[in-house]
């Protein structure tokens, strides 16, 4: 049986993270803050090397009050991810938009390269909501509505990891050719990814 107090939830930013914390769903929450469709995301770099590149870019365009603040935030975020093996279950919460889908494939790629010794990775991703319409993001929901999504999470499979790795590598390639070819892959296992990549 999963020790629910040892769950880790990873989501797209502070608004969703706050709602998950207030929802009554057990476990800690790690916000994943990065606008990956803006600025350099070069291939061939490990997580912390890429985070350093991203921190420099975010600082250079003025999206952070200081370079040190964004560097420290990314270091703490990456520390949290690398310690996720201590969690009995990791739950990924993401939406259908490009911002979220790029974060999702980055995380799935990382977990695919760092298989968990115990426990599972599960996924909650939605593009619409039966009560809130039009649905734009988790921030529109109440804590109760967020909590109601939790039982519907699905287990992430090898197919999810492989697909995410292929598209993440294509996204980070030096030319757009690989990303165009990625649209020819069957992306159904991640149902919002095809349209997100098309928009990109």
């Amino acid at each position: 049986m999963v020790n629910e107090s040892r769950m880790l939830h990873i989501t797209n930013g502070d608004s969703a993270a706050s709602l998950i914390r207030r929802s009554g769903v057990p476990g800690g929450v790690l916000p994943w803050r990065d606008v990956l469709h803006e600025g350099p995301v070069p291939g061939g770099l490990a997580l912390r090397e890429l985070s350093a590149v991203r921190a420099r870019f975010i600082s250079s365009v003025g999206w952070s009050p200081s370079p040190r603040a964004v560097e420290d935030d990314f270091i703490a975020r990456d520390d949290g991810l690398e310690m996720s093996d201590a969690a009995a279950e990791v739950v990924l919460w993401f939406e259908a938009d490009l911002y979220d889908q790029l974060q999702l494939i980055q995380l799935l790629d990382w977990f695919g390269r760092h298989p968990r010794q115990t426990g599972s990775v599960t996924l909650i991703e939605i593009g619409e909501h039966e009560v809130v319409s039009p649905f734009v993001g988790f921030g529109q929901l109440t804590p109760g509505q967020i909590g109601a999504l939790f039982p519907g999470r699905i287990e992430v499979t090898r197919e999810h990891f492989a697909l995410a790795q292929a598209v993440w590598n294509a996204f980070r390639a030096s030319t757009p050719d690989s990303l165009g070819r990625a649209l020819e892959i069957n992306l159904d296992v991640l149902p919002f990814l095809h349209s997100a990549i098309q928009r990109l």
Side-chain angles (χ1 to χ4, degrees):
M1 175 178 288
V2 170
N3 180 346
E4 292 186 336
S5 66
R6 290 177 50 235
M7 301 183 84
L8 175 65
H9 305 273
I10 307 179
T11 192
N12 60 11
D14 295 289
S15 177
S18 175
L19 286 165
I20 294 168
R21 291 187 185 104
R22 292 159 50 204
S23 70
V25 172
V29 185
L30 177 63
W32 201 259
R33 308 180 189 98
D34 198 356
V35 186
L36 291 162
H37 57 274
E38 296 285 350
V41 191
L45 300 181
L47 175 66
R48 290 186 185 272
E49 295 170 319
L50 179 59
S51 293
V53 171
R54 297 297 302 160
R56 287 193 294 271
F57 167 74
I58 290 169
S59 298
S60 74
V61 295
W63 293 346
S64 173
S66 73
R68 187 65 190 177
V70 69
E71 289 170 11
D72 288 348
D73 179 69
F74 276 24
I75 288 169
R77 181 198 74 174
D78 295 349
D79 286 346
L81 183 62
E82 291 181 351
M83 293 187 295
S84 63
D85 240 7
E89 180 181 344
V90 175
V91 188
L92 307 177
W93 300 67
F94 288 94
E95 300 154 8
D97 57 79
L98 176 62
Y99 174 86
D100 277 46
Q101 290 296 298
L102 291 177
Q103 292 183 351
L104 175 60
I105 61 172
Q106 180 184 21
L107 285 161
L108 289 174
D109 172 79
W110 189 89
F111 280 109
R113 295 176 186 275
H114 301 82
R116 307 192 69 229
Q117 300 305 306
T118 59
S120 59
V121 179
T122 57
L123 174 62
I124 296 167
E125 61 169 343
I126 62 172
E128 59 184 18
H129 191 274
E130 60 184 3
V131 175
V132 179
S133 181
F135 175 77
V136 176
F138 290 130
Q140 296 172 275
L141 305 182
T142 66
Q145 289 168 333
I146 283 278
L149 299 174
F150 180 64
R153 66 197 187 281
I154 63 168
E155 185 154 0
V156 173
T157 66
R158 291 180 181 178
E159 189 176 3
H160 289 95
F161 292 132
L163 176 59
Q165 184 174 19
V167 179
W168 180 242
N169 287 340
F171 170 67
R172 298 173 68 188
S174 58
T175 72
D177 299 341
S178 295
L179 196 58
R181 288 192 294 272
L183 290 174
E184 300 171 5
I185 302 171
N186 184 344
L187 304 178
D188 290 351
V189 70
L190 292 171
F192 305 117
L193 186 55
H194 189 280
S195 59
I197 296 302
Q198 277 189 317
R199 290 195 296 275
L200 177 63

